[in-house]
Amino acid sequence: MRTPDELTDLFRSTGRKVTPQRQCIFSVLYGDVTHPTAEAVHAAATAHMPTISLKTVYQTLHDLSELGEITTLDLGTGTARFDPNVDDVHHHLVCRECGKVRDLDLEFPDVRIPAGSELGFEVGSAEIVFRGRCHECAGATS
Amino acid sequence: MRTPDELTDLFRSTGRKVTPQRQCIFSVLYGDVTHPTAEAVHAAATAHMPTISLKTVYQTLHDLSELGEITTLDLGTGTARFDPNVDDVHHHLVCRECGKVRDLDLEFPDVRIPAGSELGFEVGSAEIVFRGRCHECAGATS
DNA sequence: TGGTGGTCAACAATGATTGTTGATAACATG
DNA sequence: CATGTTATCAACAATCATTGTTGACCACCA
Ligand SMILES: [Mn+2]
Ligand SMILES: [Mn+2]
Ligand SMILES: [Zn+2]
Ligand SMILES: [Zn+2]
């Protein structure tokens, strides 16, 4: 994801208007590595702008996703997660207990995309999801 | 997944009651390779038993999942998919257009589960999801 | 400085899934 | 087979994340 200032320009140049709410969301997301839910983004934004609505958060996340500035992840935790790290290909570790998501910056050369003709399926992307228990949850219970 | 008859015994031996509705769902799921949604299972069951309710389908799917006879898949298509193929480790191809799910019976030795200590994360499982376009959708549009 | 059209936030609706409940059916026991 | 106990059925309502609607408001261009 680009910097909040660059996103301001990008929104203007793509015919979108720039509002304080949107800029607030830009700065909340910038550098965030927690893969927040829409609720979490809203909570963080509310700290700076108490009246911002959850709908506005959803709208802006949708716009950012459309522009390719963030990725929407459905990792089976019940709610969508948003990832501003779109520049590096990476995979994810998901805690089965608390739902926390961490990046895994490893490459898996084996996971080659098979040619479409051999499968009857044109493959466009491959995601690997590792599920387990995060450090905090492992420490909490025996 | 075991045969409907074996499932009947399994349900009885685990203190669950066997009803015609449940047996109907057993036979609908047995040998199904389409990774159906709860709605799809309900539709197939309704063909044999018009009065069966969607709630009963959810309940039975939940029981089968608890017993390890089926797997519940959340592949980001908005609805859960149910997979009676629990004996072979395999991965999935998901059509971005129609949501169809196909098995991919390949092994990826590269996708080794990293040791927990190096990551601060105890990894239990790894799933690979390939997204793209199925044969039918590729043929339909140019 | 308007005018125009996009955005805001409150409210209501959606769709998948789950909770509740009275009536009904399965199972063990005799 | 009769009988009581307990689980299940299916209709109904509730939940949760997300999306649609709408009137008031604000950003941008001439
Ligand atoms: Mn990430
Ligand atoms: Mn499968
Ligand atoms: Zn955790
Ligand atoms: Zn398709």
Side-chain angles (χ1 to χ4, degrees), chain B residues 56-138:
Chain B
T56 299
V57 171
Y58 272 110
Q59 280 177 139
T60 306
L61 290 171
H62 191 263
D63 280 336
L64 286 168
S65 188
E66 227 170 50
L67 292 166
E69 294 294 322
I70 64 175
T71 308
T72 304
L73 302 173
D74 187 337
L75 296 168
T77 53
T79 58
R81 316 297 288 249
F82 300 92
D83 193 346
N85 179 4
V86 293
D87 299 319
D88 311 315
V89 278
H90 64 278
H91 300 288
H92 292 108
L93 299 152
V94 182
C95 178
R96 284 200 181 97
E97 293 183 25
C98 68
K100 220 170 287 171
V101 179
R102 298 247 293 266
D103 284 340
L104 183 63
D105 281 307
L106 285 178
E107 298 223 6
F108 298 94
D110 246 20
V111 184
R112 187 167 296 114
I113 294 170
S117 52
E118 22 174 311
L119 291 169
F121 212 100
E122 294 171 14
V123 178
S125 68
E127 317 153 15
I128 311 177
V129 179
F130 296 89
R131 297 189 193 277
R133 211 153 58 137
C134 78
H135 190 58
E136 287 81 8
C137 289

Side-chain angles (χ1 to χ4, degrees), chain A residues 105-119:
Chain A
D105 281 307
L106 285 178
E107 299 223 5
F108 298 93
D110 253 18
V111 184
R112 186 168 296 114
I113 295 171
S117 52
E118 22 173 311
L119 291 168

Side-chain angles (χ1 to χ4, degrees), chain A residues 95 97-100 133-134 136-137:
Chain A
C95 178
E97 293 184 23
C98 69
K100 221 170 287 170
R133 211 151 60 135
C134 78
E136 287 81 8
C137 289

Side-chain angles (χ1 to χ4, degrees), chain A residues 37-56:
Chain A
T37 63
E39 286 282 357
V41 173
H42 181 237
T46 299
H48 296 99
M49 184 172 283
T51 67
I52 192 170
S53 85
L54 183 56
K55 183 73 202 290
T56 299

